[in-house]
Amino acid sequence: MQKQKQQPPATAAVQVYLRIRPLISEEDGHDLITYKVDDDNATFHLKLPDRGSQPAPNSAFANAPRFRHRQPKFKACGGFTEILQEDCNNDLAYRRTVQPLVNPIVSRNESACVFTYGHTGSGKSHTLLGYGDELGMYKFAAADILEKIQAQDPTKCLLVKVTELYKNDQVIDLLTRQPCSIRQDANGRVRIRGPMVADDKGRIEQQPLGKVCRTAQQVTDCVEAACESRRVGTSTHHDQSSRSHLVLSLEVVTPALMEKRHLLLKQDAQLTRLKWLQTELTFNKHKERQMPQWAKEFSSTTMSRNIRQYETLVKSSKRELQRMFTNLGGTLVFCDLAGNEYARDSADSTKEEREEAAEINKSLLAVKEMIRSLGRKQQQGQRGENAGESRHHHIPYRDSKLTMCLKRHLETRAVMLAHVSPSVESLKKTMNTLTYSSMVVGNGVTASRRGKENDKQ
Protein backbone atom coordinates (compact mmCIF):
# COMPACT_ATOMS: atom_id res chain seq x y z
CA MET A 1 0.00 0.00 0.00
CA GLN A 2 1.37 3.40 -0.96
CA LYS A 3 2.24 5.95 1.68
CA GLN A 4 -0.05 8.91 2.14
CA LYS A 5 0.90 12.34 3.35
CA GLN A 6 -1.01 15.35 4.59
CA GLN A 7 -2.75 17.43 1.94
CA PRO A 8 -0.57 20.49 1.25
CA PRO A 9 -2.03 23.98 1.19
CA ALA A 10 -3.13 25.27 -2.19
CA THR A 11 -0.19 27.63 -2.73
CA ALA A 12 0.96 26.34 -6.10
CA ALA A 13 -0.81 27.38 -9.26
CA VAL A 14 -1.64 23.72 -9.92
CA GLN A 15 -1.35 20.66 -7.72
CA VAL A 16 0.10 17.91 -9.90
CA TYR A 17 -0.53 14.24 -9.09
CA LEU A 18 1.04 11.29 -10.89
CA ARG A 19 -1.14 8.22 -11.34
CA ILE A 20 0.32 4.91 -12.47
CA ARG A 21 -2.42 2.67 -13.74
CA PRO A 22 -2.24 -1.15 -13.62
CA LEU A 23 -1.73 -3.23 -16.73
CA ILE A 24 -4.81 -3.75 -18.89
CA SER A 25 -5.85 -6.88 -20.75
CA GLU A 26 -4.26 -5.68 -24.02
CA GLU A 27 -0.90 -5.50 -22.20
CA ASP A 28 -0.86 -9.05 -20.86
CA GLY A 29 2.64 -10.41 -21.18
CA HIS A 30 4.30 -6.98 -21.39
CA ASP A 31 7.37 -6.33 -19.27
CA LEU A 32 7.01 -3.70 -16.55
CA ILE A 33 9.04 -0.54 -16.18
CA THR A 34 11.32 -0.33 -13.15
CA TYR A 35 10.72 2.67 -10.90
CA LYS A 36 10.92 3.74 -7.30
CA VAL A 37 9.24 6.44 -5.24
CA ASP A 38 10.93 8.52 -2.53
CA ASP A 39 9.73 8.42 1.06
CA ASP A 40 7.96 11.76 0.63
CA ASN A 41 5.83 10.17 -2.12
CA ALA A 42 6.54 13.20 -4.34
CA THR A 43 9.53 12.13 -6.46
CA PHE A 44 9.38 9.47 -9.14
CA HIS A 45 12.57 7.68 -10.31
CA LEU A 46 12.33 5.87 -13.63
CA LYS A 47 14.95 3.35 -14.76
CA LEU A 48 16.03 3.64 -18.38
CA PRO A 49 17.77 1.15 -20.67
CA ASP A 50 21.54 1.33 -21.00
CA ARG A 51 22.97 2.88 -24.15
CA GLY A 52 25.64 1.04 -26.09
CA SER A 53 24.74 -2.58 -25.35
CA GLN A 54 21.94 -4.66 -26.75
CA PRO A 55 19.55 -5.85 -24.03
CA ALA A 56 19.09 -9.54 -23.49
CA PRO A 57 16.02 -11.06 -25.22
CA ASN A 58 14.36 -11.86 -21.89
CA SER A 59 15.27 -8.63 -20.10
CA ALA A 60 12.76 -6.03 -19.03
CA PHE A 61 13.97 -3.65 -21.76
CA ALA A 62 14.09 -6.02 -24.71
CA ASN A 63 11.24 -4.18 -26.43
CA ALA A 64 11.99 -0.69 -25.08
CA PRO A 65 12.55 2.15 -27.56
CA ARG A 66 16.16 3.19 -28.11
CA PHE A 67 17.20 6.73 -27.18
CA ARG A 68 19.45 8.82 -29.40
CA HIS A 69 21.63 10.19 -26.62
CA ARG A 70 23.34 8.66 -23.65
CA GLN A 71 20.91 8.44 -20.74
CA PRO A 72 21.50 7.96 -17.01
CA LYS A 73 20.21 4.74 -15.58
CA PHE A 74 17.68 6.58 -13.44
CA LYS A 75 15.82 9.77 -14.12
CA ALA A 76 13.97 11.60 -11.39
CA CYS A 77 10.85 13.71 -11.71
CA GLY A 78 9.98 15.63 -8.54
CA GLY A 79 7.53 18.21 -7.31
CA PHE A 80 4.41 16.04 -7.40
CA THR A 81 1.80 16.65 -4.73
CA GLU A 82 1.41 12.88 -4.45
CA ILE A 83 2.09 9.75 -6.50
CA LEU A 84 -0.83 7.34 -6.86
CA GLN A 85 0.43 3.86 -7.63
CA GLU A 86 -1.22 0.82 -9.23
CA ASP A 87 -3.18 -0.23 -6.13
CA CYS A 88 -5.04 3.11 -6.01
CA ASN A 89 -8.58 2.82 -7.38
CA ASN A 90 -10.81 5.69 -8.49
CA ASP A 91 -12.49 6.00 -5.10
CA LEU A 92 -9.19 6.49 -3.27
CA ALA A 93 -7.83 8.74 -6.03
CA TYR A 94 -10.93 10.94 -5.73
CA ARG A 95 -10.58 11.25 -1.96
CA ARG A 96 -6.91 12.18 -2.26
CA THR A 97 -7.21 14.67 -5.13
CA VAL A 98 -10.70 16.08 -5.76
CA GLN A 99 -12.62 15.75 -2.49
CA PRO A 100 -10.62 18.55 -0.78
CA LEU A 101 -12.00 20.91 -3.44
CA VAL A 102 -15.67 20.22 -2.63
CA ASN A 103 -15.99 22.21 0.61
CA PRO A 104 -14.61 25.50 -0.85
CA ILE A 105 -16.99 25.11 -3.80
CA VAL A 106 -20.03 24.57 -1.59
CA SER A 107 -19.28 27.00 1.25
CA ARG A 108 -17.19 29.77 -0.33
CA ASN A 109 -18.57 30.01 -3.86
CA GLU A 110 -15.20 29.14 -5.40
CA SER A 111 -14.39 27.48 -8.69
CA ALA A 112 -12.02 24.58 -9.22
CA CYS A 113 -10.67 22.68 -12.19
CA VAL A 114 -9.53 19.05 -12.46
CA PHE A 115 -7.88 17.93 -15.68
CA THR A 116 -6.14 14.78 -16.80
CA TYR A 117 -3.04 14.49 -18.95
CA GLY A 118 -1.26 11.54 -20.51
CA HIS A 119 -0.82 9.53 -23.67
CA THR A 120 -3.67 7.68 -25.33
CA GLY A 121 -4.60 4.60 -23.34
CA SER A 122 -3.05 5.79 -20.08
CA GLY A 123 -6.38 5.85 -18.22
CA LYS A 124 -7.46 9.50 -18.33
CA SER A 125 -11.08 8.90 -19.31
CA HIS A 126 -11.22 5.89 -16.98
CA THR A 127 -10.31 8.18 -14.07
CA LEU A 128 -12.78 10.97 -14.78
CA LEU A 129 -15.66 9.14 -16.43
CA GLY A 130 -15.26 5.59 -15.08
CA TYR A 131 -15.45 2.29 -16.87
CA GLY A 132 -17.49 -0.83 -16.15
CA ASP A 133 -18.21 -1.22 -12.44
CA GLU A 134 -15.66 1.41 -11.38
CA LEU A 135 -17.20 4.86 -10.96
CA GLY A 136 -15.59 7.96 -12.39
CA MET A 137 -14.49 10.92 -10.30
CA TYR A 138 -17.30 13.14 -11.54
CA LYS A 139 -19.87 10.74 -10.06
CA PHE A 140 -18.26 10.89 -6.63
CA ALA A 141 -18.03 14.68 -6.85
CA ALA A 142 -21.66 15.11 -7.97
CA ALA A 143 -22.91 12.93 -5.13
CA ASP A 144 -20.84 14.82 -2.53
CA ILE A 145 -21.82 18.28 -3.80
CA LEU A 146 -25.53 17.44 -4.02
CA GLU A 147 -25.53 15.99 -0.51
CA LYS A 148 -23.94 19.13 0.95
CA ILE A 149 -25.91 21.77 -0.94
CA GLN A 150 -29.29 20.10 -0.46
CA ALA A 151 -28.60 19.88 3.27
CA GLN A 152 -28.34 23.68 3.15
CA ASP A 153 -31.25 24.30 0.80
CA PRO A 154 -33.40 21.52 -0.76
CA THR A 155 -34.04 23.65 -3.86
CA LYS A 156 -30.36 23.74 -4.84
CA CYS A 157 -29.28 21.52 -7.73
CA LEU A 158 -26.53 21.12 -10.30
CA LEU A 159 -26.37 22.59 -13.79
CA VAL A 160 -24.46 20.08 -15.93
CA LYS A 161 -22.70 21.27 -19.09
CA VAL A 162 -20.75 18.94 -21.38
CA THR A 163 -18.71 20.62 -24.13
CA GLU A 164 -16.34 19.21 -26.72
CA LEU A 165 -13.40 21.12 -28.22
CA TYR A 166 -12.14 19.64 -31.47
CA LYS A 167 -9.14 20.81 -33.51
CA ASN A 168 -9.03 24.07 -31.53
CA ASP A 169 -11.73 25.67 -33.67
CA GLN A 170 -14.90 23.64 -33.13
CA VAL A 171 -16.84 23.95 -29.87
CA ILE A 172 -19.79 21.56 -29.60
CA ASP A 173 -22.45 21.27 -26.89
CA LEU A 174 -22.73 17.49 -26.57
CA LEU A 175 -26.13 17.66 -24.85
CA THR A 176 -27.80 19.31 -27.86
CA ARG A 177 -25.13 18.48 -30.48
CA GLN A 178 -25.15 22.14 -31.53
CA PRO A 179 -22.11 24.32 -32.27
CA CYS A 180 -21.21 26.93 -29.67
CA SER A 181 -18.87 29.90 -29.49
CA ILE A 182 -16.48 31.32 -26.92
CA ARG A 183 -16.88 35.00 -26.07
CA GLN A 184 -15.41 37.45 -23.56
CA ASP A 185 -17.82 39.93 -21.97
CA ALA A 186 -17.19 43.53 -20.94
CA ASN A 187 -16.00 42.41 -17.50
CA GLY A 188 -13.31 40.16 -18.95
CA ARG A 189 -15.09 36.90 -18.13
CA VAL A 190 -14.87 34.22 -20.81
CA ARG A 191 -18.04 32.23 -21.43
CA ILE A 192 -19.17 29.44 -23.70
CA ARG A 193 -22.19 30.86 -25.49
CA GLY A 194 -24.95 28.63 -26.73
CA PRO A 195 -26.24 28.54 -30.31
CA MET A 196 -28.23 31.52 -31.61
CA VAL A 197 -31.75 30.74 -32.84
CA ALA A 198 -34.28 33.07 -34.51
CA ASP A 199 -37.87 32.91 -33.29
CA ASP A 200 -41.03 33.53 -35.32
CA LYS A 201 -40.83 37.29 -34.64
CA GLY A 202 -37.31 37.59 -36.01
CA ARG A 203 -35.61 37.91 -32.63
CA ILE A 204 -32.20 36.27 -32.37
CA GLU A 205 -32.12 34.53 -29.00
CA GLN A 206 -29.26 32.70 -27.36
CA GLN A 207 -30.11 29.16 -26.32
CA PRO A 208 -29.16 28.26 -22.73
CA LEU A 209 -26.55 25.57 -22.20
CA GLY A 210 -26.70 22.67 -19.79
CA LYS A 211 -29.26 20.56 -18.03
CA VAL A 212 -30.48 20.91 -14.44
CA CYS A 213 -30.01 17.74 -12.36
CA ARG A 214 -31.31 17.18 -8.85
CA THR A 215 -29.89 13.71 -8.18
CA ALA A 216 -26.57 11.97 -8.80
CA GLN A 217 -28.30 9.48 -11.10
CA GLN A 218 -29.62 12.31 -13.27
CA VAL A 219 -26.08 13.67 -13.54
CA THR A 220 -24.80 10.22 -14.58
CA ASP A 221 -27.51 9.78 -17.21
CA CYS A 222 -26.87 13.27 -18.59
CA VAL A 223 -23.09 12.80 -18.90
CA GLU A 224 -23.31 9.30 -20.36
CA ALA A 225 -25.78 10.47 -23.01
CA ALA A 226 -23.48 13.37 -23.90
CA CYS A 227 -20.34 11.21 -24.10
CA GLU A 228 -21.96 9.02 -26.73
CA SER A 229 -21.51 11.92 -29.18
CA ARG A 230 -17.87 12.53 -28.35
CA ARG A 231 -15.34 12.13 -31.14
CA VAL A 232 -13.32 8.96 -30.76
CA GLY A 233 -11.14 7.13 -33.23
CA THR A 234 -9.52 3.77 -33.73
CA SER A 235 -5.85 4.51 -34.01
CA THR A 236 -2.70 2.45 -33.85
CA HIS A 237 -2.33 3.53 -30.23
CA HIS A 238 -5.80 2.79 -28.86
CA ASP A 239 -9.06 1.42 -30.25
CA GLN A 240 -11.17 4.04 -28.42
CA SER A 241 -8.89 7.05 -28.63
CA SER A 242 -10.41 10.40 -27.61
CA ARG A 243 -9.68 12.86 -30.38
CA SER A 244 -11.10 15.92 -28.64
CA HIS A 245 -10.99 17.67 -25.28
CA LEU A 246 -14.05 17.15 -23.06
CA VAL A 247 -15.07 19.87 -20.58
CA LEU A 248 -17.62 18.80 -17.95
CA SER A 249 -18.97 21.55 -15.70
CA LEU A 250 -20.95 21.06 -12.46
CA GLU A 251 -22.40 24.40 -11.28
CA VAL A 252 -24.49 24.93 -8.15
CA VAL A 253 -27.76 26.68 -9.09
CA THR A 254 -31.38 27.12 -7.98
CA PRO A 255 -34.60 27.21 -10.03
CA ALA A 256 -34.91 30.94 -9.30
CA LEU A 257 -31.43 31.56 -10.69
CA MET A 258 -32.16 29.58 -13.87
CA GLU A 259 -35.45 31.44 -14.37
CA LYS A 260 -33.65 34.76 -14.02
CA ARG A 261 -31.00 33.69 -16.54
CA HIS A 262 -33.64 32.74 -19.09
CA LEU A 263 -35.38 36.10 -18.56
CA LEU A 264 -32.09 37.91 -19.12
CA LEU A 265 -31.54 36.05 -22.39
CA LYS A 266 -34.97 37.12 -23.65
CA GLN A 267 -34.42 40.74 -22.58
CA ASP A 268 -31.02 40.80 -24.24
CA ALA A 269 -32.48 39.33 -27.44
CA GLN A 270 -35.16 42.04 -27.54
CA LEU A 271 -32.57 44.76 -26.90
CA THR A 272 -30.40 43.44 -29.73
CA ARG A 273 -33.38 43.46 -32.11
CA LEU A 274 -34.31 47.06 -31.18
CA LYS A 275 -30.75 48.25 -31.78
CA TRP A 276 -30.74 46.53 -35.14
CA LEU A 277 -34.04 48.21 -36.07
CA GLN A 278 -32.65 51.58 -35.03
CA THR A 279 -29.63 51.04 -37.26
CA GLU A 280 -31.87 50.12 -40.20
CA LEU A 281 -34.03 53.22 -39.68
CA THR A 282 -31.00 55.48 -39.59
CA PHE A 283 -29.53 53.86 -42.68
CA ASN A 284 -32.75 54.15 -44.71
CA LYS A 285 -33.26 57.73 -43.67
CA HIS A 286 -29.70 58.67 -44.57
CA LYS A 287 -30.00 57.04 -47.99
CA GLU A 288 -33.45 58.59 -48.52
CA ARG A 289 -34.90 55.20 -49.30
CA GLN A 290 -38.52 54.17 -49.17
CA MET A 291 -39.28 53.20 -45.59
CA PRO A 292 -40.35 49.55 -45.23
CA GLN A 293 -43.74 48.76 -43.77
CA TRP A 294 -42.40 47.61 -40.41
CA ALA A 295 -40.46 50.87 -40.02
CA LYS A 296 -43.58 53.03 -40.24
CA GLU A 297 -44.70 51.67 -36.87
CA PHE A 298 -41.67 53.23 -35.15
CA SER A 299 -40.35 56.72 -34.71
CA SER A 300 -36.86 57.74 -33.61
CA THR A 301 -38.19 58.92 -30.27
CA THR A 302 -40.15 55.75 -29.61
CA MET A 303 -37.22 53.57 -30.64
CA SER A 304 -34.77 55.40 -28.36
CA ARG A 305 -37.20 55.21 -25.45
CA ASN A 306 -37.67 51.46 -25.92
CA ILE A 307 -33.93 50.89 -26.12
CA ARG A 308 -33.31 52.82 -22.89
CA GLN A 309 -36.07 50.85 -21.21
CA TYR A 310 -34.58 47.48 -22.16
CA GLU A 311 -31.05 48.59 -21.29
CA THR A 312 -32.32 49.39 -17.81
CA LEU A 313 -34.02 46.00 -17.57
CA VAL A 314 -30.88 44.16 -18.69
CA LYS A 315 -28.68 46.00 -16.18
CA SER A 316 -31.16 45.33 -13.40
CA SER A 317 -31.33 41.62 -14.26
CA LYS A 318 -27.54 41.36 -14.28
CA ARG A 319 -27.28 42.97 -10.85
CA GLU A 320 -29.94 40.62 -9.51
CA LEU A 321 -28.14 37.61 -10.99
CA GLN A 322 -24.87 38.71 -9.41
CA ARG A 323 -26.57 39.05 -6.02
CA MET A 324 -28.21 35.62 -6.31
CA PHE A 325 -25.02 33.96 -7.52
CA THR A 326 -23.03 35.32 -4.57
CA ASN A 327 -25.23 33.37 -2.16
CA LEU A 328 -24.81 30.07 -4.04
CA GLY A 329 -22.01 27.57 -4.40
CA GLY A 330 -19.35 27.58 -7.08
CA THR A 331 -18.40 25.44 -10.07
CA LEU A 332 -16.33 22.28 -10.43
CA VAL A 333 -14.93 21.65 -13.90
CA PHE A 334 -13.53 18.33 -15.13
CA CYS A 335 -11.44 18.41 -18.30
CA ASP A 336 -10.56 15.16 -20.03
CA LEU A 337 -7.72 16.18 -22.32
CA ALA A 338 -7.07 14.30 -25.52
CA GLY A 339 -4.02 12.03 -25.52
CA ASN A 340 -0.64 13.53 -26.30
CA GLU A 341 0.56 11.49 -29.25
CA TYR A 342 3.14 11.96 -31.97
CA ALA A 343 1.70 10.63 -35.20
CA ARG A 344 5.20 10.25 -36.67
CA ASP A 345 5.81 7.43 -34.18
CA SER A 346 3.43 5.31 -36.22
CA ALA A 347 4.03 4.51 -39.87
CA ASP A 348 0.33 3.72 -40.33
CA SER A 349 -0.98 7.12 -39.20
CA THR A 350 -3.35 8.82 -41.62
CA LYS A 351 -3.37 12.47 -42.65
CA GLU A 352 -6.33 13.13 -40.37
CA GLU A 353 -4.51 11.55 -37.42
CA ARG A 354 -1.47 13.73 -38.05
CA GLU A 355 -3.63 16.87 -38.20
CA GLU A 356 -5.45 15.91 -35.03
CA ALA A 357 -2.19 15.18 -33.22
CA ALA A 358 -0.78 18.55 -34.25
CA GLU A 359 -3.85 20.44 -32.97
CA ILE A 360 -3.95 18.42 -29.74
CA ASN A 361 -0.29 19.05 -28.99
CA LYS A 362 -0.70 22.74 -29.78
CA SER A 363 -3.52 23.13 -27.26
CA LEU A 364 -1.67 21.07 -24.63
CA LEU A 365 1.35 23.33 -25.03
CA ALA A 366 -0.91 26.36 -24.52
CA VAL A 367 -2.24 24.87 -21.27
CA LYS A 368 1.29 24.29 -20.00
CA GLU A 369 2.39 27.84 -20.84
CA MET A 370 -0.69 29.32 -19.17
CA ILE A 371 -0.13 27.32 -15.97
CA ARG A 372 3.54 28.30 -15.82
CA SER A 373 2.60 31.97 -16.29
CA LEU A 374 0.05 31.73 -13.48
CA GLY A 375 2.69 30.12 -11.26
CA ARG A 376 5.23 32.87 -11.93
CA LYS A 377 2.62 35.54 -11.25
CA GLN A 378 1.65 33.87 -7.97
CA GLN A 379 5.29 33.53 -6.87
CA GLN A 380 5.90 37.21 -7.50
CA GLY A 381 2.85 38.09 -5.43
CA GLN A 382 3.95 35.85 -2.53
CA ARG A 383 7.43 37.39 -2.44
CA GLY A 384 5.90 40.85 -2.35
CA GLU A 385 8.39 42.06 -4.97
CA ASN A 386 7.63 43.91 -8.18
CA ALA A 387 3.97 44.37 -7.30
CA GLY A 388 3.31 46.33 -10.45
CA GLU A 389 4.99 43.70 -12.61
CA SER A 390 2.98 40.94 -10.93
CA ARG A 391 -0.27 42.81 -11.43
CA HIS A 392 0.39 43.25 -15.15
CA HIS A 393 1.97 39.85 -15.76
CA HIS A 394 0.80 38.51 -19.11
CA ILE A 395 -1.21 35.27 -19.01
CA PRO A 396 -1.41 33.76 -22.54
CA TYR A 397 -4.90 32.34 -22.22
CA ARG A 398 -5.86 33.45 -25.74
CA ASP A 399 -3.42 31.03 -27.37
CA SER A 400 -6.08 28.31 -27.46
CA LYS A 401 -9.81 27.99 -27.03
CA LEU A 402 -9.10 25.35 -24.40
CA THR A 403 -7.18 27.82 -22.24
CA MET A 404 -9.90 30.42 -22.76
CA CYS A 405 -12.47 27.95 -21.39
CA LEU A 406 -10.30 27.06 -18.38
CA LYS A 407 -8.99 30.57 -17.59
CA ARG A 408 -11.42 31.47 -14.80
CA HIS A 409 -11.10 28.06 -13.12
CA LEU A 410 -7.32 27.70 -13.36
CA GLU A 411 -6.91 31.07 -11.64
CA THR A 412 -8.53 29.73 -8.46
CA ARG A 413 -7.87 26.07 -7.65
CA ALA A 414 -6.61 23.46 -10.09
CA VAL A 415 -5.56 19.81 -9.96
CA MET A 416 -3.68 18.00 -12.71
CA LEU A 417 -3.66 14.20 -12.87
CA ALA A 418 -0.77 12.95 -15.01
CA HIS A 419 -1.31 9.35 -16.14
CA VAL A 420 1.33 6.85 -17.18
CA SER A 421 1.32 3.17 -18.10
CA PRO A 422 3.57 0.64 -16.31
CA SER A 423 4.25 -1.20 -19.56
CA VAL A 424 7.77 -0.95 -20.94
CA GLU A 425 6.21 -0.62 -24.41
CA SER A 426 5.02 2.86 -23.36
CA LEU A 427 8.36 3.96 -21.90
CA LYS A 428 8.90 6.79 -24.36
CA LYS A 429 5.36 8.09 -23.83
CA THR A 430 5.87 7.88 -20.07
CA MET A 431 8.99 10.02 -20.42
CA ASN A 432 7.02 12.61 -22.42
CA THR A 433 4.34 12.76 -19.71
CA LEU A 434 6.94 13.16 -16.96
CA THR A 435 8.66 15.92 -18.89
CA TYR A 436 5.37 17.79 -19.39
CA SER A 437 4.46 17.39 -15.70
CA SER A 438 7.87 18.67 -14.64
CA MET A 439 7.48 21.77 -16.78
CA VAL A 440 4.07 22.41 -15.22
CA VAL A 441 5.41 22.25 -11.65
CA GLY A 442 8.53 24.17 -12.68
CA ASN A 443 11.05 21.35 -12.10
CA GLY A 444 13.06 19.89 -14.97
CA VAL A 445 13.58 16.17 -15.38
CA THR A 446 17.12 15.67 -14.10
CA ALA A 447 19.41 12.76 -13.49
CA SER A 448 19.11 11.15 -10.08
CA ARG A 449 22.53 10.99 -8.47
CA ARG A 450 21.30 8.64 -5.82
CA GLY A 451 19.98 6.34 -8.52
CA LYS A 452 23.38 6.25 -10.23
CA GLU A 453 25.20 5.74 -6.94
CA ASN A 454 22.94 2.87 -5.97
CA ASP A 455 23.44 1.33 -9.40
CA LYS A 456 27.24 1.37 -8.95
CA GLN A 457 27.10 -0.44 -5.59
Side-chain angles (χ1 to χ4, degrees), residues 44-62:
F44 181 82
H45 301 266
L46 176 65
K47 186 176 182 180
L48 300 178
D50 292 331
R51 176 67 173 171
S53 60
Q54 186 68 23
N58 297 327
S59 69
F61 297 102

Side-chain angles (χ1 to χ4, degrees), residues 359-411:
E359 292 295 336
I360 290 171
N361 292 335
K362 187 188 302 183
S363 59
L364 294 178
L365 176 63
V367 172
K368 184 261 295 181
E369 291 299 327
M370 179 179 175
I371 293 174
R372 296 185 72 183
S373 298
L374 288 171
R376 287 193 292 266
K377 179 179 180 180
Q378 192 174 45
Q379 290 174 1
Q380 291 176 357
Q382 290 175 351
R383 289 197 302 264
E385 302 174 355
N386 301 326
E389 181 181 351
S390 175
R391 183 168 55 254
H392 300 291
H393 188 82
H394 174 63
I395 307 297
Y397 70 92
R398 287 182 175 272
D399 290 353
S400 168
K401 288 189 176 181
L402 177 62
T403 51
M404 291 182 68
C405 291
L406 302 181
K407 173 181 180 291
R408 180 166 62 96
H409 309 290
L410 287 176
E411 289 178 343

Side-chain angles (χ1 to χ4, degrees), residues 11-24:
T11 55
V14 176
Q15 295 181 5
V16 182
Y17 294 82
L18 177 66
R19 186 174 189 189
I20 310 166
R21 67 159 173 80
L23 288 176
I24 58 178

Side-chain angles (χ1 to χ4, degrees), residues 271-288:
L271 176 61
T272 302
R273 179 172 180 268
L274 290 174
K275 288 184 176 180
W276 177 79
L277 292 176
Q278 185 183 48
T279 302
E280 287 292 313
L281 286 173
T282 304
F283 179 79
N284 289 329
K285 182 178 180 181
H286 178 72
K287 295 295 184 179
E288 297 182 353

